Amino acid sequence: MKNLLAIAALSLSLPAGLACAQAAADTARDRQSILAMQGEYIVDFAFDETVLLQPGYERAAAMRSSGNETVIVVEDTPTKIVLQHILVDGKSGHVTKHWRQDWVYEASSRFEFSADQTWQVRTIPADRNKGAWTQCVFEVSDAPRYCGTGRWDYVNGIATWTSDLSWRPLPRREYTKRSDYNAVSAINRHTITPNGWTHEQFNTKVLRKPDGSRVELAREFGFNDYQKTTEVDFKPAYKYWKATGDFWGKVRMRWDAFLSKPPGVHLKTKIDGMAMIIPLFTQAGELEEGKQVADQDIDKVFAEWVEPASAK
C-alpha cells in the first residue's frame, strides 16, 4: 500500500516538475537571445513618419544616420542582463558612451515616463509579467528613458521580443527641433537575425496636455539595423570601458536608488540633460587620464540635479 501511495504521489508531481523544467528551458533560450545582441556592429538608423493624424500637419523629413557600435555585457545573471552600447568613430577612434539596455525576467515593477523629466515607478500587473522580460532603456548619462514588458517568441525559428505599449520622452534627435509634442507612445520589437539584430519602433507622437487630454499628431516607424562587422577597430571602446566601467557602475547604483522603488525620479535639468551629462562625462574623462574621482564628486552631481518624483 505504501508503495502504491508513493507511486501515485510521484505521478502527481511529474507535471509540475515538467512544467518547471520547461519554464527553465524557455528562460535559458530567452537569455541566449538577449545575449546574442552583444558584439561589434555597423548600425543604420532610420525614422519615417507614416500616418498623419491632424489637419494641416506636415510630414517631417525622414531621418537617416549610421554609426559603429559595440555592445558589451556588463551584468549577466539568470534573471538580469545589462548591455552597454559604445560608439566609436571609424576615422578618429573617438569614443562615446551611448545607450544602455537592462533586461529583467518577471520584474515586479518598472519606471514609466509620466511628465516632463519625471519617471514614476509602477507595479507590473501579474498577467503581463508572467514569463515576460522587461527591457528598460537608459541614455548616455544612465538617466532613464523608457521600459517595455513582453515575451520572447520563436515562431518559425525566429527569436523576437515585442513590448507592450509604453511612454517615453522625445528622442534626442527631435527635442531640439520640435515643440509641438512632448511624449511618444511606443511598441518596440527586437529580432535576432543571421548577421546581427534589429530594433523596430512603432511610435506615436503625442501632445499630452496639463488637463490630461492628448492630441496624437503622427505615427512613426523606426528601424535600427545592427549588422556584425570585423572592419572597425573597437579597441578604443574597450580601453574606455576598462578605465571607466567601475565609475559608471557607481553611477548606475545611484540611479537605481531612485528607480528601484516608488515614487521614482524627477530631473531638475533642462530636457537635454546636459547639466548631468557634462560633469559625468568629464569625470569619466579624468579616469581615462589616470586621475581619481571621489564618490562624493558623483554624489554632488546627483544632489544638484536629481530628486524623488512626487508621489501619485
Side-chain angles (χ1 to χ4, degrees), residues 10-270:
L10 178 62
S11 65
L12 289 173
S13 68
L14 282 175
L18 289 173
C20 290
Q22 183 61 51
D26 291 344
T27 305
R29 182 169 57 170
D30 294 348
R31 291 185 69 261
Q32 291 307 307
S33 298
I34 297 167
L35 289 169
M37 287 186 277
Q38 69 180 303
E40 300 174 350
Y41 302 94
I42 294 175
V43 192
D44 291 319
F45 304 95
F47 293 89
D48 294 86
E49 288 193 351
T50 54
V51 183
L52 310 184
L53 301 172
Q54 293 298 320
Y57 182 88
E58 296 185 6
R59 180 176 283 108
M63 192 284 284
R64 299 288 185 273
S65 63
S66 61
N68 308 312
E69 192 155 297
T70 182
V71 183
I72 299 171
V73 177
V74 174
E75 183 177 340
D76 179 7
T77 73
T79 57
K80 183 177 182 180
I81 298 172
V82 176
L83 302 176
Q84 177 64 58
H85 294 235
I86 302 178
L87 291 167
V88 175
D89 184 270
K91 294 181 180 180
S92 68
H94 179 74
V95 172
T96 302
K97 178 181 174 292
H98 206 200
W99 63 292
R100 183 181 110 236
Q101 47 175 325
D102 289 10
W103 293 81
V104 178
Y105 182 67
E106 294 188 345
S108 59
S109 64
R110 69 185 190 185
F111 59 79
E112 298 182 358
F113 177 62
S114 58
D116 287 348
Q117 299 294 79
T118 304
W119 289 261
Q120 299 279 341
V121 174
R122 292 170 177 159
T123 300
I124 302 173
D127 59 341
R128 191 186 310 173
N129 194 31
K130 183 66 174 177
W133 289 81
T134 293
Q135 181 213 42
C136 290
V137 168
F138 305 80
E139 66 163 278
V140 298
S141 65
D142 288 319
R145 294 290 296 169
Y146 65 87
C147 293
T149 300
R151 296 173 181 84
W152 284 88
D153 71 65
Y154 300 89
V155 176
N156 297 320
I158 306 301
T160 299
W161 174 87
T162 305
S163 77
D164 56 356
L165 186 70
S166 62
W167 289 101
R168 67 189 193 205
L170 272 64
R172 190 166 291 274
R173 60 188 162 82
E174 290 263 273
Y175 68 68
T176 58
K177 304 174 183 178
R178 302 283 295 267
S179 59
D180 54 338
Y181 77 104
N182 55 15
V184 175
S185 63
I187 293 173
N188 293 276
R189 183 165 64 200
H190 287 240
T191 301
I192 308 304
T193 64
N195 195 41
W197 56 282
T198 61
H199 176 196
E200 298 168 88
Q201 302 176 42
F202 304 90
N203 302 329
T204 301
K205 299 180 178 181
V206 181
L207 176 63
R208 299 196 299 196
K209 296 184 177 182
D211 64 3
S213 63
R214 301 168 183 169
V215 179
E216 296 187 354
L217 301 183
R219 293 175 188 157
E220 175 187 74
F221 177 65
F223 182 66
N224 303 336
D225 190 15
Y226 289 75
Q227 292 289 314
K228 290 182 179 178
T229 183
T230 58
E231 299 177 358
V232 179
D233 182 6
F234 282 98
K235 286 195 292 290
Y238 304 127
K239 181 181 178 182
Y240 171 86
W241 195 249
K242 184 177 180 180
T244 67
D246 289 345
F247 164 80
W248 287 112
K250 294 177 180 179
V251 172
R252 291 195 304 274
M253 287 177 59
R254 283 155 176 79
W255 283 117
D256 287 347
F258 291 94
L259 296 172
S260 61
K261 60 183 183 302
V265 69
H266 174 255
L267 305 187
K268 295 181 279 185
T269 70
K270 294 180 180 178

